[in-house]
Amino acid sequence: MITAILVIGILVGVAAPRVLRGVDAAAVEATAGQINTIMLAAELCYSETGAWPSNQGGTVLPPEMAPFLRPNLFAVPCPIGGTYDWDYNNAGYVASLKIYGVDSDLTEWEAVDRAIDDGNTATGRLFYTAGSPLGRMRYVLEY
């Protein structure tokens, strides 16, 4: 009986980190996919109308983007934390997606950055900005 419990304990100790890494990898891939989907919807909107979607603030889907983005990804939390917010002519950028409410542990965001940008959360189109109490990620389509 003790041997069986010992074997189960060893298996759990070996398997748990692998399972947890799998969950993180799935959330990273889902986040990268959602960001790419939102950016594609914004680019399609620009291509069709000649203008970027309007700035709505918060978690509101810009109405110009609605025909290109189903389901509404602005209505759900980002898989690795944070909330999506489209910015047009805001914070010094012409067109960008902000993910606010991001904690300072950027391990998963670095993996997202490697998947869709340059792999560095301090440079490129996807980058981190510290905030209080939580920071934000921003993906810029037009500076």
Side-chain angles (χ1 to χ4, degrees), residues 2 4 12 27 29 31 45-46 74-75 90 95 97 107 111 121 128 141:
I2 292 177
V12 167
E29 289 300 318
T31 299
C45 179
Y46 184 83
F74 288 82
N90 192 18
L97 176 69
T107 305
T121 58
Y128 176 76
L141 278 174

Side-chain angles (χ1 to χ4, degrees), residues 6-126:
L6 199 62
V7 168
I8 291 171
I10 291 170
L11 290 174
V12 167
V14 170
R18 290 183 181 174
V19 168
L20 292 176
R21 275 196 306 267
V23 170
D24 291 345
V28 164
E29 289 300 318
T31 299
Q34 286 183 0
I35 291 172
N36 280 332
T37 299
I38 294 169
M39 295 294 91
L40 179 59
E43 289 173 336
L44 286 169
C45 179
Y46 184 83
S47 175
E48 292 281 324
T49 67
W52 292 110
S54 59
N55 189 25
Q56 298 295 308
T59 59
V60 178
L61 173 69
E64 306 90 340
M65 205 184 292
F68 307 104
L69 188 62
R70 297 196 190 276
N72 176 5
L73 295 176
F74 288 82
V76 297
C78 174
I80 61 174
T83 306
Y84 296 117
D85 179 19
W86 175 257
D87 280 339
Y88 173 66
N89 282 334
N90 192 18
Y93 305 101
V94 175
S96 66
L97 176 69
K98 177 174 62 183
I99 304 98
Y100 62 91
V102 174
D103 69 30
S104 59
D105 179 5
L106 299 179
T107 305
E108 291 173 319
W109 282 106
E110 289 165 350
V112 171
D113 200 297
R114 282 190 298 276
I116 64 174
D117 194 30
D118 65 354
N120 183 341
T121 58
T123 62
R125 289 183 173 266
L126 180 67

